[in-house]
Amino acid sequence: ERGEYDHFMLKEIHEQPESLARSILPYIDQATQTIEAGDTASQIFADADRAVAIACGTAYYAAHTAKYWFEQIAKLAVETDIASEFRYRKPVLPVTGPALFVSQSGETADTLAALRYCRENKSPAIAVVNVPESSIAREAKAIVPTHAGPEIGVASTKAFTAQLAVLAVLALSAAKARGHLKTGDEAKYVKSLLSLPRKVSEALEAQPEIKAIAQTLTKAKDVLFLGRGRYFPLALEGALKLKEVSYIHAEGYAAGELKHGPIALIEQDLPIVVVAPYDDLFEKTLSNVEEVRARGGRIILISDDKGIKLAGNRADHVIRLPDADEIAMPILAAIPLQLLAYFVAVAKGTDVDQPRNLAKSVTVE
Ligand code: F6R
């Protein structure tokens, strides 16, 4: 039931402190402050030469974000692909590594077909799924469930952040199994994961500001989303969410790609959402912000205190996130993107929970 909320989407956005706690706690031993993703998955990661990660839509953006964690923390090369491409291109699979599948429903036709391809080619399939009795869960060698609970809104929100959290757990357990996680670091990451529910609640407190910013987007014909590094997939997800529920044309780009084409789109008042919490790439993203501002673009900056301070008056609007590390921050960054899409859609009067032409579960290709 929707309870006090106008839509399931808003209810599910606000459920994220609980859905994240449910999704993280099964993988944490609180007494020893250690991460436990299961023996099968750990063993597969220990021996892996590389991995592939396959999904569709929002679940694909979760996999794409995880690629940065796997490479940087677990030193494991991960190739990501959308299932509809992967299944037909006869991909060369890792010699010893796993194929990761990410799916809320566990019934997405293309993802299931990609999984079957990997099985036939003897690649162990690890499935991150929200429905444990689904086809993808049944056919995988190991399942690492998310516990987001049933998601009713067609646009994925709480399932996405649960996927990110469980993929973070997997990346950290891979790092451990591969000997790249120091004891002190494991406790530090455990603390970061456990802080997520509280920090998501803090991020949700920006709702009134986000709602006000959303009112300035309702007449936009196009909106761009930019991000670098681990925030690039978040920019893609922000754009997908906005177009799905508000029907405004939106595109996400890697900030560094701007000069290679998309900058031609910038004109007076074009809204550009920049997903850029402070990190070692922040200054680079900031120079992209300057480039689009010089051409009249209107900047909506999603960042933390440090980033907002450094950006100064270069941002026309800011959305503040709590401080967090490289694991928690991409998960927190999803929150304002979801709220922004939601409030633009509400202001435009679209059918938020059942956007036109979309189905919750895509069981035909
Ligand atoms: C977007 C959305 C879709 C799904 C995609 C995969 O908001 O919900 O892009 O993420 O159809 O679905 P699952 O995760 O069920 O495989």
Side-chain angles (χ1 to χ4, degrees), residues 55-60 102-108 111 136 151 154-157 163 237 240-241 244 359-362:
C56 298
T58 288
Y60 171 72
V102 186
S103 177
Q104 188 285 124
S105 62
E107 301 295 349
T108 301
T111 310
I136 290 175
E151 191 178 62
V154 164
S156 180
T157 54
Q163 286 161 352
E237 166 62 6
L240 177 62
K241 214 89 304 172
E244 270 186 300
K360 183 66 189 159
S361 180
V362 185

Side-chain angles (χ1 to χ4, degrees), residues 141-311:
K141 181 175 174 89
I143 66 167
V144 193
T146 54
H147 296 281
E151 191 178 62
I152 309 295
V154 164
S156 180
T157 54
K158 64 175 181 169
F160 176 61
T161 50
Q163 286 161 352
L164 286 172
V166 167
L167 288 164
V169 163
L170 274 179
L172 292 168
S173 63
K176 192 155 91 162
R178 299 165 67 76
H180 294 297
L181 198 61
K182 294 191 255 91
T183 325
D185 284 348
E186 184 169 5
K188 188 190 78 177
Y189 285 124
V190 165
K191 213 167 140 212
S192 166
L193 286 169
L194 292 175
S195 74
L196 265 169
R198 177 175 50 80
K199 288 191 175 171
V200 167
S201 302
E202 270 178 60
L204 286 166
E205 284 167 20
Q207 180 167 308
E209 292 84 346
I210 297 169
K211 187 173 177 181
I213 296 169
Q215 310 313 309
T216 73
L217 295 182
T218 55
K219 297 268 165 1
K221 295 238 315 277
D222 307 281
V223 179
L224 295 189
F225 289 73
L226 300 179
R228 258 180 203 267
R230 62 185 81 96
Y231 303 109
F232 166 40
L234 270 298
L236 297 173
E237 166 62 6
L240 177 62
K241 214 89 304 172
L242 185 67
K243 71 184 107 171
E244 270 186 300
V245 298
S246 78
Y247 313 148
I248 292 176
H249 174 244
E251 292 298 334
Y253 289 104
E257 268 295 289
L258 208 57
K259 288 193 178 57
H260 302 285
I263 200 161
L265 296 171
I266 312 292
E267 55 182 15
Q268 204 59 37
D269 293 327
L270 178 83
I272 298 141
V273 179
V274 181
V275 190
Y278 185 81
D279 65 4
D280 49 0
L281 299 175
F282 182 81
E283 297 289 343
K284 296 201 180 292
T285 308
L286 199 55
S287 62
N288 300 127
V289 165
E290 275 164 5
E291 288 160 4
V292 291
R293 253 185 82 86
R295 291 161 178 84
R298 181 156 62 90
I299 303 292
I300 299 157
L301 175 68
I302 299 177
S303 190
D304 49 5
D305 266 331
K306 188 165 181 190
I308 289 171
K309 217 172 269 155
L310 285 169

Side-chain angles (χ1 to χ4, degrees), residues 108-130:
T108 301
D110 284 321
T111 310
L112 182 59
L115 183 148
R116 288 179 177 157
Y117 173 87
C118 290
R119 271 172 58 119
E120 281 157 21
N121 289 279
K122 310 271 180 290
S123 254
I126 302 178
V128 174
V129 284
N130 197 43

